[in-house]
Amino acid sequence: MPTISGLHHVTAIAGPAQENLDFYAGILGMRLVKKSVNQDDPGTYHLFYADAEGHAGTDLTFFPWAHLAPSRIGHGLATEVQLTVPRGSLDAWGVRLTGYGVRVGTIATRFDERVLPLVDPHGLQVALVEADDVTSRGFTPWPESPVPVHEQIRGLHGARAWERDLASTAHILTGTLGFTQAGSDRGWTRFVLGGGGPGRVLDIRETPDERRGSWGTGSIHHLAWRVDDDAQELVMRAAVEAAGLRPTPVIDRFWFKSVYFKEPGGVLFELATDGPGFAVDEEAAHLGESLVLPPWLEAQRTAIARVLPPLTYPPVLSQRAVT
Ligand code: ZN
């Protein structure tokens, strides 16, 4: 049975676009690999941060919807995105983040992994996780990053989600999508793809007494999972439908093809093909430098560009005095 192979990208909701860019490119040192627009709301940016080449699985993307209220944490939402960093780098990350006034937690151990939780400027919970990157997804360092190569973020590690009823979500994860249940730690149940590790982790906490969560600034919008190609996407889509869920038709996102569905607890999932990738419409050396629109929005470029706020990239940052 074909299955998904790991996270493809994670998309979250941000506040003002420049603040988002300053944080992810300037402080976390990820490369802006695509500056585009939300294809369903072209007056809003869609900003993509990844490794230097935008390998599938390294990509954290944002819709800066500054007018939204803050998200309400609760069940039916992914609540944290985890990013892989090299072993031994978390202490340096702690110093760097603190120097910029980022809200960081203390280094903790979860499922035998060293983790540094932090909160981005718009309330999104992010965790840096130390790991050897043993997956085959590929990583290309970004020489222009303000973070040295030996500490740079390697890509997506996993995510956390809250669910009202763990069993119904677990049934889809293990029965249809190819996850295996891999233990529990302080209230969290871990599901992994393959043998687990970077890009292959989903941790779920059952929260029957919590309210339902709602999207807003600082929330994860969806988790996108990798499928190899168009054919595998159709097979997985059929499996999702056969499991009683309601997947959308295949939508051409130009850099990949997507199918969306809500898992039984309400978290929005996407299936996304590995190709064709971000270099299909920009030279690899100049990814993210200009506003890129899918071909069907090109005719509206002038009107779209007029409503988007200007962005300064690379960002100009100043360290706060550490007191
Ligand atoms: Zn997506």
Side-chain angles (χ1 to χ4, degrees):
M1 184 181 85
T3 64
I4 56 177
S5 56
L7 280 166
H8 183 287
H9 62 270
V10 171
T11 295
I13 301 172
Q18 184 69 54
E19 293 173 13
N20 177 257
L21 180 60
D22 290 351
F23 186 78
Y24 286 94
I27 297 178
L28 292 193
M30 300 174 81
R31 185 178 187 187
L32 179 70
V33 293
K34 196 64 68 182
K35 179 169 67 176
S36 190
V37 294
N38 181 321
Q39 294 180 12
D40 305 312
D41 175 18
T44 298
Y45 278 118
H46 192 181
L47 303 177
F48 297 69
Y49 305 95
D51 74 336
E53 289 189 43
H55 281 101
T58 67
D59 188 8
L60 178 56
T61 92
F62 290 88
F63 302 134
W65 274 320
H67 58 283
L68 288 191
S71 66
R72 187 178 74 200
I73 200 162
H75 66 75
L77 276 190
T79 55
E80 179 190 83
V81 59
Q82 301 159 352
L83 301 168
T84 309
V85 295
R87 264 191 214 290
S89 69
L90 274 191
D91 296 308
W93 272 108
V95 171
R96 175 175 178 79
L97 295 168
T98 305
Y100 282 108
V102 177
R103 286 182 281 163
V104 293
T106 52
I107 294 175
T109 301
R110 305 179 187 165
F111 294 96
D112 298 324
E113 293 173 326
R114 263 185 112 217
V115 178
L116 177 62
L118 60 112
V119 181
D120 92 351
H122 305 130
L124 178 66
Q125 294 185 41
V126 179
L128 302 181
V129 182
E130 281 188 357
D132 298 320
D133 195 345
V134 294
T135 61
S136 58
R137 66 186 174 195
F139 167 75
T140 304
W142 181 36
E144 314 288 316
S145 172
V147 175
V149 170
H150 65 277
E151 292 167 4
Q152 282 178 20
I153 289 167
R154 264 39 182 175
L156 297 168
H157 193 82
R160 278 181 157 182
W162 286 15
E163 299 282 15
R164 194 171 63 83
D165 172 39
L166 176 65
S168 57
T169 294
H171 182 70
I172 290 292
L173 293 177
T174 59
T176 304
L177 298 179
F179 285 85
T180 52
Q181 197 166 323
S184 59
D185 182 13
R186 278 162 286 181
W188 293 90
T189 303
R190 172 156 285 196
F191 295 84
V192 299
L193 292 157
R200 298 174 172 174
V201 172
L202 178 60
D203 295 332
I204 295 181
R205 182 174 169 194
E206 190 172 46
T207 58
D209 301 325
E210 296 287 344
R211 297 184 300 181
R212 176 155 185 109
S214 64
W215 284 336
T217 52
S219 65
I220 291 172
H221 188 268
H222 61 266
L223 304 178
W225 304 100
R226 297 174 64 178
V227 290
D228 293 342
D229 52 28
D230 294 8
Q232 193 192 346
E233 181 158 71
L234 290 175
V235 171
M236 289 304 304
R237 185 190 178 283
V240 166
E241 195 164 43
L245 302 176
R246 293 192 292 173
T248 64
V250 175
I251 299 170
D252 187 354
R253 294 304 191 191
F254 197 54
W255 308 294
F256 40 83
K257 289 185 180 165
S258 300
V259 168
Y260 301 85
F261 62 96
K262 284 194 169 173
E263 55 80 35
V267 179
L268 184 59
F269 279 6
E270 175 184 346
L271 307 172
T273 55
D274 275 4
F278 294 119
V280 71
D281 54 6
E282 277 184 300
E283 283 181 52
H286 297 286
L287 293 176
E289 292 177 7
S290 49
L291 179 67
V292 173
L293 300 174
W296 56 92
L297 289 175
E298 205 46 71
Q300 302 167 52
R301 172 175 286 273
T302 307
I304 288 170
R306 197 182 302 130
V307 300
L308 293 169
L311 292 178
T312 301
Y313 180 71
V316 180
L317 299 177
S318 57
Q319 284 215 337
R320 293 186 194 180
V322 180
T323 54

